[in-house]
Amino acid sequence: MEKQNVPEIFGTMVFDDRVMRARLSSEVYNSLKKTIDENTKLDVDVAEAVAQEMKEWAVEKGATHFTHWFQPLTGVTAEKHDSFISPSPDGGVIMEFSGKELIKGEPDASSFPSGGLRATFEARGYTAWDPTSYAFIKDHTLCIPTAFCSYSGDALDKKTPLLRSMQALDKQAKRILALFGKKVKYVRTSVGSEQEYFLVDEKVFNQRPDLIYTGRTLFGAMPPKGQELDDHYFGVIKPRVTAFMEDLNTELWKLGILAKTEHNEVAPAQHELAPIFSTTNVATDNNQLTMEIMQKVARKHGLVCLLHEKPFAGVNGSGKHNNWSMATDEGVNLLSPGATPYENAQFLLFLTAVIKAVDEYQDLLRLSVATAGNDHRLGANEAPPAIISVFLGDEITAILDAIKSDAPYEGKEREILKLGVHSLPRFSKDTTDRNRTSPFAFTGNKFEFRSLGSSNSIACCNIMLNAAVADALREFADRLEGVENFEEELHNLIKETIKAHERIIFNGNGYTDEWVKEATEVRGLSNLKTTADAMPHLLDEKNKKMLTGLKVFSESELHSRCEIMLENYCKTVNIEGHTMVDMVRKNYLPAIEQNLYNLAKAVSMMKSVSNQVKCKYEVSTMERLSELTDEILDKVEDLEKALADLKGYDEIIKTSEAIRDDVLPKMEKLRKYVDEAEMLSGEKCWPFPSYGKLLFSVY
């Protein structure tokens, strides 16, 4: 493959700041820049000028169509393409694109999930240009990032509440900075979202109905080798995967996506891509694009990219680590401790605001990552538990303990790490280790929220995180503004906050039974294990009050999202259940029956030759397979009944509880017996490719 000149191709398909500065007049550029940086109202004349240059640029790049690219509550993106062509008087066409078309679109709002906000006959919806996220070209189409709302003004997407949450945090953070004598244009949250995924051979994938319909294997016995040797993690990347990664990087770089790090993950066939930090809104758009392009590029290489959180039982699932921080327009990271964090009062105030936010709204953070797929992943194999806690590390924890007890802090000097070989370099050892079991870990100058599933939109968790921190900063600003002795009140506030919320700080092993007991019984932390447990808490009074008070959601929007997310959970598991039934009745039971027939025929033939032949293997296998056939039939009938019973519930919460308590356990029981039958059956007798073929198919 011909090597690309990265600086030359980077952002070539993006109408970014470089393009705007070159193509727009200084007056138009400065006005648009002010709208983007300072959240001011967009001038209609400016939009018209931008539209003309955007169209000319796109046509030069080979674009023939444009679309308002938005993120409805389906979890994926949506787009409706319109061509630039308009008829000309001479019978030909001209290429046109107006400011009105840039600013507003009208997709059908009744065909997307609305959670009761829109009736089927109430079809009108609007998309509105988001100038803070650059337009880009994909598949010869100019894609314009937009917000999506109904005719009544309710947000029907993930972008709108995200922008609202960023606006709320910006407002409250600037109030805090003003108390320290600092005037800034804006405070923005930034995110780097590490993306994990699996790659499997397309031909093998196409032979698995469960992967095709649900994205995960509903059946499958473990092969002799999984991830036990830890030899795949950071291992040499295989040629076929390297070729995929090279093409993927090229496509991402063209779209201005800062793909930085790539490596093999822990499980066989599992990999990771990590970008450089960008503004949360842009990072969210880029991550949605990344997932789409991963899947497209994989198909070009005869592969399928699996983004399900747990496509294979028995090995690591895939997450999406959300690295979150706050920074000013001058590039000052508000979560950077500096050389002497104990003396950095501003850092400590923002730090304690985050601690307070996570403790008070741990349920919101948990439900923001709740999906049917992620429920299978959380709690083991490097995925954090469902219990939300904050890891700070030894140094920061010691500082907070000193403040809490009004004791002097005895700082720990950095140690030089000596490896015992003279030729190896010496370097400073970090003052704290990393905790892979923590859901929310401080990692030096940012927090890493590790609970997201690989297919999640990062918008959901960042909405809740931004809002919760904004609420804490609002309380802090209300208390500190106008006080006579700022330093004394600041010290008291930090000290009181640490004491009130220290229960959320935990630096130990999140996988132990002792931690679960301590967290729930001693500390009073929530343990919302499933989506059915977590999602209804969105409508708790304290959560509604905070989210509506900051104008991140209206109350009706909150109800709609609770409805949509629970409905998605129920539909997902319902599809999985019916897929299991279909595979068992059409494939597994007939295959086992054929296997029994073959064994019986073999025994009969061998006995006809000699009655002295014991046929121990054949007979013992037949007996157990016959027993398993009966068990499988019983369990598939149980599952069918449980699925049918779901139709009797008229409330989505009751349906989700039935899914959790009845359907999922019956699915697990059915799988257990089918997987045992697989181990007793010859490879040629089994109807679907094994885990071994799936996990090692790209090597």
Side-chain angles (χ1 to χ4, degrees):
M1 177 181 171
E2 184 180 346
K3 292 296 180 183
Q4 299 279 6
N5 185 320
V6 178
E8 286 185 5
I9 67 169
F10 189 85
T12 51
M13 291 299 180
V14 186
F15 194 75
D16 58 17
D17 191 72
R18 297 172 300 175
V19 178
M20 291 189 290
R21 188 186 293 272
R23 301 188 72 117
L24 301 175
S25 69
S26 58
E27 182 181 357
V28 169
Y29 172 80
N30 290 332
S31 177
L32 180 61
K33 190 70 173 168
K34 186 175 182 180
T35 296
I36 294 170
D37 289 345
E38 301 179 31
N39 200 27
T40 59
K41 188 175 181 180
L42 178 68
D43 188 298
V44 176
D45 292 335
V46 167
E48 189 67 45
V50 172
Q52 293 308 310
E53 288 301 327
M54 190 182 287
K55 182 260 296 181
E56 292 296 330
W57 169 82
V59 171
E60 289 170 14
K61 293 287 185 180
T64 57
H65 289 67
F66 69 91
T67 181
H68 276 199
W69 184 80
F70 57 103
Q71 299 170 38
L73 298 173
T74 55
V76 294
T77 57
E79 49 195 65
K80 174 174 70 75
H81 298 190
D82 289 301
S83 71
F84 288 120
I85 64 171
S86 292
S88 62
D90 61 1
V93 295
I94 55 175
M95 306 294 270
E96 289 188 339
F97 182 56
S98 68
K100 181 180 178 182
E101 289 172 311
L102 170 63
I103 291 173
K104 188 185 80 169
E106 291 192 22
D108 190 332
S110 66
S111 298
F112 292 101
S114 69
L117 288 175
R118 302 292 286 160
T120 302
F121 68 90
E122 296 173 317
R124 190 180 296 279
Y126 298 112
T127 48
W129 177 36
D130 172 20
T132 66
S133 187
Y134 298 135
F136 56 91
I137 295 173
K138 177 171 66 76
D139 299 330
H140 304 292
T141 299
L142 173 67
C143 298
I144 303 157
T146 57
F148 177 43
C149 67
S150 70
Y151 181 72
S152 56
D154 293 306
L156 296 176
D157 66 343
K158 296 178 184 289
K159 178 182 279 283
T160 304
L162 179 62
L163 292 171
R164 292 171 182 168
S165 74
M166 293 172 65
Q167 183 172 281
L169 188 140
D170 170 68
K171 177 181 178 181
Q172 302 306 327
K174 286 191 294 190
R175 290 177 66 193
I176 294 294
L177 290 173
L179 294 170
F180 289 90
K182 298 175 181 177
K183 184 175 178 60
V184 300
K185 286 183 180 179
Y186 59 77
V187 173
R188 285 186 181 153
T189 56
S190 58
V191 167
S193 54
E194 304 167 37
Q195 178 72 55
E196 295 174 345
Y197 60 96
F198 281 82
L199 290 176
V200 299
D201 186 274
E202 186 175 20
K203 292 178 182 176
V204 182
F205 170 89
N206 288 335
Q207 297 174 59
R208 293 283 311 212
D210 46 0
L211 283 176
I212 293 170
Y213 295 141
T214 74
R216 75 178 181 106
T217 53
L218 301 172
F219 301 99
M222 279 298 294
K225 182 180 185 292
Q227 63 187 52
E228 299 88 349
L229 297 178
D230 299 320
D231 55 340
H232 191 257
Y233 191 49
F234 281 18
V236 176
I237 301 173
K238 302 301 181 183
R240 194 175 178 190
V241 177
T242 297
F244 158 79
M245 288 180 170
E246 288 178 353
D247 280 355
L248 174 63
N249 285 332
T250 298
E251 295 306 313
L252 293 178
W253 289 335
K254 288 178 184 176
L255 291 169
I257 297 173
L258 295 160
K260 175 74 172 176
T261 303
E262 58 194 25
H263 61 83
N264 289 348
E265 254 300 334
V266 175
Q270 190 183 32
H271 311 278
E272 181 176 305
L273 171 73
I276 298 173
F277 279 63
S278 52
T279 304
T280 304
N281 174 37
V282 175
T284 301
D285 288 356
N286 286 350
N287 185 250
Q288 292 295 131
L289 270 175
T290 297
M291 290 190 288
E292 176 189 332
I293 294 168
M294 276 179 169
Q295 293 171 317
K296 284 184 178 179
V297 173
R299 293 282 185 173
K300 292 179 181 179
H301 289 263
L303 301 168
V304 175
C305 176
L306 302 179
L307 293 173
H308 193 283
E309 286 72 24
K310 198 73 171 178
F312 303 102
V315 298
N316 277 20
S318 294
K320 180 145 49 190
H321 304 159
N322 189 84
N323 295 282
W324 178 92
S325 63
M326 296 177 279
T328 70
D329 58 288
E330 298 170 345
V332 176
N333 187 336
L334 300 177
L335 291 177
S336 179
T340 55
Y342 183 68
E343 298 173 358
N344 189 343
Q346 178 182 293
F347 159 72
L348 290 171
L349 188 62
F350 277 99
L351 177 72
T352 51
V354 176
I355 292 169
K356 171 182 167 68
V358 175
D359 185 28
E360 291 185 341
Y361 298 105
Q362 54 190 277
D363 51 354
L364 285 181
L365 292 182
R366 170 64 185 94
L367 68 86
S368 73
V369 301
T371 63
N374 211 21
D375 286 354
H376 293 293
R377 167 182 166 264
L378 293 177
N381 298 107
E382 292 201 3
I387 300 169
I388 301 295
S389 63
V390 175
F391 170 84
L392 295 177
D394 299 336
E395 182 181 27
I396 300 297
T397 301
I399 290 170
L400 298 187
D401 286 342
I403 294 172
K404 181 182 68 174
S405 58
D406 282 327
Y409 170 65
E410 298 179 1
K412 182 179 179 182
E413 292 186 9
R414 285 183 175 263
E415 301 176 32
I416 299 298
L417 196 63
K418 301 175 182 178
L419 300 177
V421 179
H422 296 305
S423 60
L424 293 179
R426 296 183 178 187
F427 50 87
S428 296
K429 179 181 176 181
D430 289 318
T431 57
T432 187
D433 204 344
R434 299 174 70 187
N435 189 333
R436 309 299 288 176
T437 70
S438 176
F440 199 81
F442 186 68
T443 56
N445 60 0
K446 58 184 171 59
F447 279 96
E448 183 181 25
F449 189 20
R450 295 174 51 81
S451 298
L452 283 79
S454 51
S455 66
N456 283 163
S457 164
I458 66 172
C460 302
C461 74
N462 285 297
I463 291 168
M464 299 308 178
L465 185 53
N466 290 345
V469 173
D471 188 62
L473 293 174
R474 177 190 58 78
E475 285 190 31
F476 286 1
D478 287 347
R479 176 168 170 176
L480 293 172
E481 285 174 344
V483 297
E484 292 184 7
N485 190 329
F486 175 71
E487 289 189 6
E488 180 180 345
E489 192 65 22
L490 176 62
H491 174 81
N492 291 338
L493 174 59
I494 292 173
K495 178 180 175 180
E496 290 169 18
T497 304
I498 295 167
K499 284 185 174 181
H501 301 288
E502 62 182 335
R503 67 172 185 164
I504 201 71
I505 301 170
F506 178 64
N507 294 336
N509 185 354
Y511 288 166
T512 65
D513 293 336
E514 290 79 10
W515 165 237
V516 175
K517 186 174 182 181
E518 178 187 336
T520 56
E521 297 180 13
V522 179
R523 300 194 183 202
L525 303 180
S526 60
N527 185 14
L528 305 172
K529 294 182 178 180
T530 72
T531 301
D533 297 315
M535 200 56 63
H537 288 281
L538 182 60
L539 302 180
D540 287 356
E541 196 57 40
K542 73 175 180 66
N543 295 334
K544 288 196 296 184
K545 182 178 179 182
M546 184 272 286
L547 291 167
T548 58
L550 291 173
K551 295 182 170 53
V552 174
F553 289 105
S554 67
E555 188 163 342
S556 60
E557 288 170 348
L558 285 175
H559 280 275
S560 74
R561 277 148 182 81
C562 183
E563 180 88 10
I564 289 167
M565 297 309 295
L566 283 175
E567 189 175 75
N568 182 273
Y569 170 77
C570 294
K571 287 180 177 179
T572 298
V573 180
N574 193 51
I575 291 169
E576 291 178 349
H578 283 290
T579 301
M580 290 186 87
V581 170
D582 196 63
M583 291 174 73
V584 166
R585 289 206 174 275
K586 292 181 179 178
N587 302 103
Y588 285 123
L589 283 176
I592 298 170
E593 182 184 39
Q594 182 63 47
N595 195 9
L596 284 167
Y597 172 80
N598 292 340
L599 288 167
K601 186 176 179 180
V603 170
S604 177
M605 291 178 67
M606 285 188 285
K607 290 286 188 182
S608 70
V609 175
S610 172
N611 285 326
Q612 302 303 312
V613 179
K614 294 182 178 179
C615 301
K616 185 176 180 180
Y617 159 71
E618 290 82 3
V619 172
S620 63
T621 303
M622 285 173 58
E623 288 175 348
R624 183 54 186 155
L625 281 177
S626 180
E627 291 171 354
L628 287 172
T629 303
D630 292 340
E631 291 286 2
I632 291 168
L633 180 61
D634 289 342
K635 297 302 178 287
V636 78
E637 289 176 346
D638 289 345
L639 178 56
E640 285 174 316
K641 183 179 184 306
L643 292 169
D645 289 344
L646 294 178
K647 298 176 182 178
Y649 296 100
D650 54 6
E651 293 182 13
I652 197 65
I653 289 179
K654 294 294 184 184
T655 307
S656 68
E657 290 170 347
I659 290 274
R660 175 196 63 197
D661 298 335
D662 193 24
V663 174
L664 283 168
K666 287 176 178 174
M667 289 170 62
E668 283 299 308
K669 289 178 181 178
L670 176 58
R671 175 175 187 154
K672 174 187 172 183
Y673 292 113
V674 173
D675 288 356
E676 184 182 345
E678 179 182 355
M679 296 301 294
L680 294 174
S681 302
E683 186 175 345
K684 292 182 179 179
C685 302
W686 208 242
F688 303 115
S690 66
Y691 260 31
K693 285 190 174 181
L694 285 163
L695 288 169
F696 297 94
S697 62
V698 296
Y699 308 125

